[in-house]
Amino acid sequence: MITKQAITAFSSIHTPFYYYDIELLKKTLDIYTSYIKKFNYNAHYAVKANAEPKILQIIQKAGLGADCVSGNEVSLAIKSGFSPSKIVYAGVGKSDKEIKTALKAGIFGFNCESVPEIKVINDLAAGMGKVARISLRVNPDIDAHTHKYISTGRKEDKFGVSPWEFQAVADELRNFKNIKMIGLHFHVGSQITDMSVFPMLCKMIEQLQQWFIDHDINIENLNLGGGLGVDYENPTKNPIANFKDYFELIHKHLIVRPGQKVHFEPGRAIVAQCGDLISRVLYVKIGQKMKFVILDAGMNDLIRPALYQAVHAIDNLTSDKKPLKYDVVGPVCESSDKFAHAILLPETQRGDLFAIHTAGAYGQVMAMKYNQRDLAKAYYSDEILKK
Ligand code: LLP
């Protein structure tokens, strides 16, 4: 939450910047981990959502492991204190170098996405005298009812192994001496707000794992991935994701066999709401059809609206004048550099401070230097707010 004290502190910071509410992050983690403990589940934070070292350290201290999608993420997670025994590594295109990094580190397991990949991991592990633990990422052909760019579990998506390939995997596993299959992995999409997707996933997991049980392949671990959505429209009203319904639904619908461990890979639901992109108004411009608020933050700082047509709540932190309708845009030379269309905001002028909310996940981490713009820095509530 952005307090009056925070707004005063913002006035002396160079904009744009990311602001993280550490208290909210810790509260979110407290609630999340209470469910993980209650149901005896395991959690691996999806490092891709936000990889700021300070954030990683807080999440690691809360007891989560790490879910990585590159060799560099594996190295960063280890550097941030995550035990390799709590690191999982997914991704459809793991390079030899990345696989070796993970093998050397002795991670908990690879989430494998294709039969050719398993062969490469086997060969590399053999060369290093190691046995790689793998879970098979399965594409269950489930529509997560989210944006098409962040749907990952439909049959047209590039992720995971299809059920018709199970026999080939089982045959190969018999030949691969440097692979130990330890489980099944699923991740059907991100920003899932239709809760009926999760019971459906549980039902599919039960059907799919039966194939392996029937073929005498022990499934010790079930990994359900991430995906739980957050409230982008009303972040102040709902600062914490609906972990209660999520875990209760999964507990009710997932059939867990004796000795089986259940894993999750939350990203967005942990970090989205604790981050805001803070920006200053450069100009207010009267266009032919619209009034434009031109911010000093652009799509290079937060690409979600341009890439996924994502709607982030926006506030003018320094005006309480009567509302007017504006388009809120950035300075980048693209018409897609638009944060909001025709929204009501208090009458705005040059120098006003704006907050673009729910920017903690896939915000700073996806920033780029397009137009040779500087990368926005991170500031933390526990550092800038004097007690
Ligand atoms: N596990 C795997 C294998 C994943 O690919 C992802 C996210 C997660 C876990 C974490 O999912 P989450 O709990 O955050 O939904 N840049 C996009 C989101 C991409 C998600 C990629 N995979 C966005 O800004 O919406």
Side-chain angles (χ1 to χ4, degrees):
M1 211 182 70
I2 299 175
T3 58
K4 282 211 173 91
Q5 200 194 355
I7 297 170
T8 308
F10 292 168
S11 61
S12 58
I13 302 177
H14 180 76
T15 49
F17 62 91
Y18 276 90
Y19 173 67
Y20 294 105
D21 179 344
I22 295 301
E23 206 180 308
L24 178 57
L25 172 62
K26 289 185 175 165
K27 200 170 155 201
T28 306
L29 284 164
D30 276 351
I31 297 174
Y32 186 84
T33 52
S34 71
Y35 287 106
I36 288 290
K37 283 183 197 133
K38 178 174 174 188
F39 295 119
N40 199 20
Y41 292 152
N42 302 274
H44 308 269
Y45 166 67
V47 173
K48 68 179 83 62
N50 188 310
E52 286 305 291
K54 174 159 172 151
I55 301 229
L56 291 181
Q57 281 155 24
I58 292 169
I59 294 172
Q60 181 271 324
K61 284 205 182 94
L64 279 74
D67 158 46
C68 301
V69 284
S70 71
N72 288 349
E73 279 193 1
V74 171
S75 302
L76 179 64
I78 294 171
K79 204 170 136 201
S80 305
F82 289 92
S83 159
S85 66
K86 283 185 165 184
I87 294 180
V88 291
Y89 175 18
V92 293
K94 303 177 185 80
S95 72
D96 293 18
K97 185 173 171 232
E98 292 178 307
I99 292 168
K100 282 186 199 161
T101 300
L103 283 170
K104 211 180 283 167
I107 62 165
F108 176 76
F110 292 84
N111 292 328
C112 288
E113 311 240 7
S114 67
V115 183
E117 180 196 326
I118 303 174
K119 180 170 176 3
V120 170
I121 295 178
N122 180 64
D123 291 350
L124 294 172
M128 295 167 74
K130 298 204 179 247
V131 172
R133 288 174 295 275
I134 69 151
S135 290
L136 194 66
R137 177 167 181 176
V138 179
N139 182 326
D141 191 22
I142 285 180
D143 187 343
H145 301 138
T146 183
H147 191 277
K148 63 180 176 190
Y149 289 177
I150 51 177
S151 285
T152 50
R154 303 162 305 170
K155 58 174 175 264
E156 60 266 42
D157 298 321
K158 68 178 175 181
F159 300 95
V161 169
S162 310
W164 53 263
E165 292 177 294
F166 287 174
Q167 189 59 54
V169 173
D171 293 344
E172 295 283 36
L173 282 177
R174 255 175 250 122
N175 304 325
F176 295 156
K177 300 286 171 267
N178 296 78
I179 295 282
K180 180 174 193 291
M181 169 132 164
I182 60 166
L184 295 178
H185 174 241
F186 301 83
H187 172 74
V188 295
S190 196
Q191 184 52 16
I192 299 171
T193 52
D194 174 353
M195 294 302 250
S196 72
V197 168
F198 299 112
M200 201 157 56
L201 173 63
C202 293
K203 204 170 138 200
M204 278 308 281
I205 291 176
E206 176 53 22
Q207 276 176 28
L208 293 164
Q209 74 165 323
Q210 194 56 49
W211 189 96
F212 291 90
I213 292 163
D214 292 346
H215 289 74
D216 288 330
I217 297 173
N218 184 28
I219 300 298
E220 199 184 319
N221 296 281
L222 291 176
N223 185 334
L224 279 69
L228 177 62
V230 299
D231 193 341
Y232 280 90
E233 274 169 49
N234 294 299
T236 315
K237 197 170 138 220
N238 293 311
I240 303 207
N242 193 352
F243 297 132
K244 184 174 187 289
D245 286 3
Y246 175 71
F247 282 117
E248 282 175 359
L249 271 177
I250 286 175
H251 179 69
K252 183 167 167 213
H253 292 276
L254 184 70
I255 299 176
V256 182
R257 299 201 159 51
Q260 232 173 19
K261 294 185 193 77
V262 179
H263 301 252
F264 295 90
E265 299 170 342
R268 188 189 316 265
I270 302 292
V271 290
Q273 299 292 22
C274 77
D276 292 284
L277 177 59
I278 308 297
S279 174
R280 214 176 284 276
V281 176
L282 290 173
Y283 305 101
V284 177
K285 167 170 158 174
I286 313 298
Q288 295 188 25
K289 273 183 80 178
M290 291 304 303
K291 280 193 200 61
F292 296 101
V293 169
I294 304 173
L295 297 178
D296 63 5
M299 65 191 286
N300 70 298
D301 300 300
L302 178 68
I303 202 172
R304 302 195 68 260
L307 189 56
Y308 315 112
Q309 299 74 52
V311 176
H312 288 247
I314 297 178
D315 278 318
N316 181 330
L317 301 174
T318 46
S319 166
D320 54 8
K321 297 194 186 125
K322 64 173 188 343
L324 292 175
K325 215 175 246 182
Y326 295 103
D327 272 14
V328 180
V329 302
V332 171
C333 298
E334 301 252 357
S335 291
S336 58
D337 185 22
K338 184 178 282 187
F339 291 115
H341 172 59
I343 59 165
L344 281 174
L345 287 166
E347 189 178 352
T348 294
Q349 61 182 15
R350 174 173 165 84
D352 282 352
L353 276 173
F354 268 50
I356 303 178
H357 300 295
T358 321
Y362 309 108
Q364 194 177 359
V365 84
M366 290 178 78
M368 58 176 159
K369 287 183 62 75
Y370 185 41
N371 285 195
Q372 293 311 302
R373 287 169 47 77
D374 293 329
L375 291 178
K377 290 193 183 136
Y379 291 86
Y380 301 95
S381 58
D382 60 340
E383 292 172 17
I384 70 165
L385 303 181
K386 300 201 179 57
K387 295 271 147 16

